[in-house]
Amino acid sequence: MKKPISISNGHRKWTATEVKKLRGLIKLRVSPSRIARMLGRTRKDIQLKADALGISIDVREDHP
C-alpha cells in the first residue's frame, strides 16, 4: 500500500497518484478550478499544493 505524501492542508492527505495527476494537469495549463473539480478538492487546496511542490500555477480562468 502506498503511503500518502505528508504535505497536507489539514484535511485529506495527497496521494502520489493525485500529485502525479496534479502535475500533469498543471503542465497542460488546465485552470485551478477545473483541476479542483477533477480531483475533488478546493481551488485553494490546488494552489497550496502547487506552491508546496514549487510548481507555478496560472491562476487565470481563461484557459481552455
Side-chain angles (χ1 to χ4, degrees):
M1 188 167 150
K2 291 186 179 180
K3 189 174 184 180
I5 294 176
S6 63
I7 298 173
S8 175
N9 64 352
H11 299 127
R12 274 190 325 173
K13 293 190 183 228
W14 287 79
T15 64
T17 303
E18 288 176 317
V19 172
K20 186 175 181 179
K21 192 175 228 182
L22 174 65
R23 286 179 188 270
L25 292 169
I26 290 172
K27 190 173 185 177
L28 292 173
R29 298 182 56 127
V30 176
S31 72
S33 293
R34 183 169 284 172
I35 295 172
R37 283 193 305 269
M38 294 170 97
L39 296 179
R41 296 189 178 261
T42 66
R43 181 178 169 173
K44 186 70 173 179
D45 288 341
I46 301 303
Q47 290 173 331
L48 289 172
K49 186 60 176 180
D51 186 51
L53 293 171
I55 303 170
S56 176
I57 186 166
D58 195 347
V59 296
R60 291 178 294 163
E61 294 296 326
D62 53 63
H63 294 291

